[in-house]
Amino acid sequence: MIIVNEASQIELANLQTEQMFGYSRKELLHQSVDVLLPAGLRAAHRDHRAHAEAPVNRREMGVGMNVVGLRKDGTEFPVEVSLSQLEGVGERTVIASVRDITGRREAAFERAREMSELSHSNEALEQFAHIASHDLQEPLRMVASYTQLLAKRYRGRLDADADVFIDFAVDGTQRMKQLIQDLLLYSRAGKGTAPTHEFASEEALREALKNLGAAIEETGAVVTYDRLPVVNCVSSELAQVFQNLIGNAIHYHSESVPHVHVSALSKNWEWEFSISDNGIGIDPRYFERIFLIFQRLHGSADYKGTGIGLAICKRILQQQGGRIWVESELGHGSIFHFALPMR
Amino acid sequence: MQTGHDSANPIQVLLVDDNPGDTRLTMEAFKDAKVHLTMHVAKDGIEATEFLMGEGAFVGSPRPDLILLDLNLPRKDGREVLAEIKANPSLKTIPVVILTTSAADVDIERSYMHHANCYISKPVDLEGFLTVVRSIDDFWLSVVKLPPGEAA
């Protein structure tokens, strides 16, 4: 806090001012307030003061303006200044409370940097996915076709080892093909060309259940849900999130018949959906890992899949400004939560 | 008018593809074809044009009854070759089957705009590929009546 008189002289400065600007109070006393301003701002500041009508009402100098402070050591830093008239003293004596907003600026820069990083990584991913779908597909097709042709023509005509080798090669190409397809799905997730709109989230859930019909029938799974809210996002993407989460809940079932329940509540301007199941559960140390692309906790012999479902959910929700997380205990089912911002 | 095709008078197929692996695979797949056919191969767009015009290394080449055309080719692109065939009065009646790795909407649309007779994306796995070749054999070489060849 600094008190400045009509002649722009510093009448009083507090401890914070000393620390912020690096001067002792003695040094500042009766100095022109100019010492705290970079040379380039001094004229503008004088002009500003000369034209400011007295009485000075409380106003924020920092709002919408780049106000910069000058330290004793010559370094500059961003500040926000609010002014108020000091009553009962000189006519134009003002109290300036000066706040160092370096941290706030840095946070804003950090956010902007994160956003631009996200958009760069999206671009890089799209580029990679394009390469994967076209350029990698060609050699893969050659390897896959010719190992399959070998299998078709020469199975049982070489020796037993040869048959095993061919099978491994064929199996490898099939998994590679699935991975490429899944990578493409992932790169497209959340980049839907469909616009966001308001709709009953129950519609998206029903769509997901329709697509899961075969799995539900096969396992005898029971899926229930509460009243669900109207949300604002891309309906096909929400259906995809429901489908992947409920699909997992059914897929990773325990000995008992799968029970899945979907609920939603509003919390801090978000809709928080929860999908709980009575499946095999997840060890808490894997809570982060399961959302990464192609990360799997089980061998493909036990549970099929490439490990794309949760990564796609996370990507869709991220692109919508939402979040996804899990609560679980090994052997005691899981609850997947996701939050969508209300708009 | 039914054009008879037998071992003495086989169907002439021109395959335009730069990938020897694909070429061989297509030829292997056609080995089980129901009809007698002779497969000719052009490795790029220029060779395809030369074959069709009976120029260069292809003097005296037969007029194909069916063309299997890849789109991404060196020297001259398959899209250009297609446009040329369909703009040439003496060639435009030859059915052109686009057989390519591209599944891009823009390629599909443009191919049909240039009067491709059909568009097929090469399946990644062998069974899919064999099925595609079998359907070409079934449909284009057996079911469909092809226009009588001008030179044949």
Side-chain angles (χ1 to χ4, degrees), chain A residues 134 137-138 140-142 144-146 148-149 152-153 177, chain B residues 19 21-22 24-25 28 101 122-127 130:
Chain A
H134 295 93
Q137 200 90 323
E138 186 76 28
L140 172 63
R141 220 161 41 75
M142 284 299 104
S145 299
Y146 279 99
Q148 284 170 37
L149 195 59
K152 199 176 154 79
R153 293 225 183 129
K177 193 177 106 187
Chain B
N19 181 343
D22 266 333
R24 179 65 192 266
L25 206 59
E28 291 293 329
T101 39
K122 289 176 189 169
V124 175
D125 67 321
L126 179 72
E127 271 317 311
L130 293 179

Side-chain angles (χ1 to χ4, degrees), chain A residues 116-294:
Chain A
S116 112
E117 251 177 28
L118 182 65
S119 103
H120 277 135
S121 85
N122 279 346
E123 264 170 49
L125 179 66
E126 265 167 63
Q127 218 161 42
F128 178 68
H130 184 83
I131 291 169
S133 68
H134 295 93
D135 304 81
L136 295 186
Q137 200 90 323
E138 186 76 28
L140 172 63
R141 220 161 41 75
M142 284 299 104
V143 179
S145 299
Y146 279 99
T147 48
Q148 284 170 37
L149 195 59
L150 271 176
K152 199 176 154 79
R153 293 225 183 129
Y154 295 96
R155 187 181 303 284
R157 291 177 51 191
L158 305 167
D159 59 18
D161 274 351
D163 285 351
V164 172
F165 298 167
I166 290 172
D167 285 345
F168 278 126
V170 169
D171 185 54
T173 59
Q174 271 157 359
R175 267 185 298 134
M176 177 89 178
K177 193 177 106 187
Q178 191 61 50
L179 286 171
I180 289 182
Q181 276 171 2
D182 286 349
L183 181 65
L184 278 173
L185 280 179
Y186 179 74
S187 75
R188 290 185 194 128
K191 307 278 308 169
T193 42
T196 64
H197 65 110
E198 280 203 348
F199 63 96
S201 53
E202 193 184 317
E203 283 171 32
L205 176 63
R206 282 216 221 97
E207 175 71 25
L209 294 180
K210 202 172 76 190
N211 295 339
L212 289 166
I216 292 173
E217 201 169 321
E218 200 180 301
T219 54
V222 181
V223 183
T224 53
Y225 51 93
D226 296 342
R227 265 185 69 127
L228 298 177
V230 169
V231 292
N232 192 336
C233 61
V234 181
S235 58
S236 60
E237 289 178 349
L238 183 61
Q240 178 81 66
V241 170
F242 277 135
Q243 187 178 327
N244 291 4
L245 293 179
I246 298 169
N248 278 352
I250 296 171
H251 192 60
Y252 296 98
H253 64 79
S254 57
E255 306 275 281
S256 42
V257 172
H259 277 263
V260 185
H261 184 73
V262 182
S263 59
L265 54 92
S266 79
K267 209 177 187 176
N268 303 328
W269 297 99
E270 286 181 323
W271 284 113
E272 187 180 311
F273 288 80
S274 302
I275 288 109
S276 61
D277 65 52
N278 61 341
I280 57 174
I282 301 156
D283 189 324
R285 71 184 138 143
Y286 299 125
F287 282 1
E288 301 281 327
R289 206 176 115 183
I290 53 172
F291 293 105
L292 300 177
I293 187 167
F294 299 147

Side-chain angles (χ1 to χ4, degrees), chain A residues 1-148:
Chain A
M1 181 188 290
I2 309 163
I3 296 180
V4 180
N5 69 16
E6 199 174 347
S8 287
Q9 282 172 335
I10 297 169
E11 297 224 318
L12 203 123
N14 67 354
L15 181 67
Q16 278 87 339
T17 311
E18 288 186 302
Q19 289 168 344
M20 207 185 294
F21 288 91
Y23 287 100
S24 71
R25 261 175 276 192
K26 256 191 204 154
E27 290 175 293
L28 285 176
L29 216 60
H30 308 307
Q31 284 287 325
S32 164
V33 73
D34 279 356
V35 299
L36 303 179
L37 292 168
L41 276 182
R42 285 172 196 163
H45 184 252
R46 268 197 294 275
D47 201 43
H48 186 74
R49 272 185 65 97
H51 288 91
E53 286 295 316
V56 182
N57 287 319
R58 194 179 174 82
R59 57 202 159 97
E60 302 250 319
M61 282 175 70
V63 174
M65 282 204 297
N66 275 331
V67 184
V68 180
L70 179 68
R71 293 194 192 95
K72 189 182 179 185
D73 65 9
T75 56
E76 298 177 7
F77 62 108
V79 291
E80 184 184 81
V81 182
S82 39
L83 299 175
S84 50
Q85 172 108 30
L86 193 62
E87 282 172 35
V89 193
E91 217 178 272
R92 300 191 60 182
T93 298
V94 290
I95 302 179
S97 69
V98 182
R99 209 174 313 148
D100 183 340
I101 56 168
T102 310
R104 205 193 299 171
R105 283 285 175 82
E106 276 169 1
F109 282 138
E110 183 63 17
R111 261 198 309 282
R113 200 182 54 79
E114 274 171 15
M115 286 312 288
S116 112
E117 251 177 28
L118 182 65
S119 103
H120 277 135
S121 85
N122 279 346
E123 264 170 49
L125 179 66
E126 265 167 63
Q127 218 161 42
F128 178 68
H130 184 83
I131 291 169
S133 68
H134 295 93
D135 304 81
L136 295 186
Q137 200 90 323
E138 186 76 28
L140 172 63
R141 220 161 41 75
M142 284 299 104
V143 179
S145 299
Y146 279 99
T147 48
Q148 284 170 37

Side-chain angles (χ1 to χ4, degrees), chain A residues 285-324:
Chain A
R285 71 184 138 143
Y286 299 125
F287 282 1
E288 301 281 327
R289 206 176 115 183
I290 53 172
F291 293 105
L292 300 177
I293 187 167
F294 299 147
Q295 289 293 322
R296 309 194 63 246
L297 302 181
H298 306 276
S300 49
D302 299 329
Y303 294 92
K304 282 200 175 92
T306 56
I308 191 79
L310 290 175
I312 284 184
C313 289
K314 183 174 179 181
R315 193 164 154 81
I316 287 176
L317 289 162
Q318 263 180 345
Q319 309 275 342
Q320 300 273 346
R323 292 170 294 131
I324 185 167

